[in-house]
Amino acid sequence: MDMNNKRKINIIDLIFSIALVLIILVGAIKIAGNQNTFEKSKSTKVFYTVEVSNSDPEILNYISEEDRVFEDETLKNMGTVVGVSHKPSTVLVENNDESTLVLKELPDKITVNIEITADGVETNGSVSVDSANILVGKSVDLIVGDSALKGVITALNYEDTSIIKEEN
């Protein structure tokens, strides 16, 4: 038996072996991480408010409770209207005499708050309705009743959690 035919491990074989083990390890961690995400998802009842600023008062004729709400481009079901309220629209203007900013009401314009309820999914603190994320401060384009609206989500409630955008 010839001992000179013994195979020696070279540096390329060692690097290849380490890389292969790392790839398998990263893949196993990714798969295990995805399984944990699914376990942390749960169905929840979601209540959120969309504020539509500087609207014509006639918009109130086209929005009512129990109207269904859809995302404008994808037509995802975003829930059902459970409440509609409004207040005069305001804008910040400069008061030159006192060098300050003051709120001034806009004539013939209103700010509409549309309260919506939907069945959603809560995953690790994030809430989605029909796979669309619901985030306070997020701008949304919606179809409500017979109206297409652009607004901002100002409040979000689900389970025992409440998130509300503070007024400035």
Side-chain angles (χ1 to χ4, degrees), residues 48 58-71 76-84 112 114-118 142-149:
Y48 62 102
E58 297 84 40
I59 197 166
L60 295 173
N61 298 329
Y62 301 101
I63 303 171
S64 60
E65 290 185 15
E66 298 184 16
D67 280 346
R68 296 195 46 203
V69 180
F70 300 94
E71 196 173 44
K76 291 179 179 179
N77 181 3
M78 300 301 293
T80 304
V81 175
V82 293
V84 179
V112 179
I114 304 167
E115 297 172 18
I116 302 166
T117 184
L142 300 174
I143 298 172
V144 181
D146 295 329
S147 300
L149 307 170

Side-chain angles (χ1 to χ4, degrees), residues 93-102:
V93 293
E94 185 176 356
N95 181 345
N96 292 328
D97 297 336
E98 298 177 17
S99 297
T100 59
L101 296 175
V102 294

Side-chain angles (χ1 to χ4, degrees), residues 100-139:
T100 59
L101 296 175
V102 294
L103 280 176
K104 179 181 176 186
E105 282 189 21
L106 292 175
D108 301 323
K109 296 291 182 181
I110 61 172
T111 295
V112 179
N113 287 307
I114 304 167
E115 297 172 18
I116 302 166
T117 184
D119 293 323
V121 175
E122 187 261 330
T123 306
N124 299 328
S126 295
V127 178
S128 61
V129 172
D130 199 5
S131 75
N133 286 334
I134 305 296
L135 303 167
V136 172
K138 180 181 178 183
S139 179

Side-chain angles (χ1 to χ4, degrees), residues 50-57 59 85 87-91 106 108-114 140 149-154 165 167:
V50 175
E51 182 178 277
V52 182
S53 299
N54 303 332
S55 298
D56 292 323
I59 197 166
S85 62
K87 62 184 178 184
S89 281
T90 56
V91 65
L106 292 175
D108 301 323
K109 296 291 182 181
I110 61 172
T111 295
V112 179
N113 287 307
I114 304 167
V140 290
L149 307 170
K150 183 173 189 75
V152 175
I153 298 173
T154 57
K165 180 181 173 192
E167 297 279 331

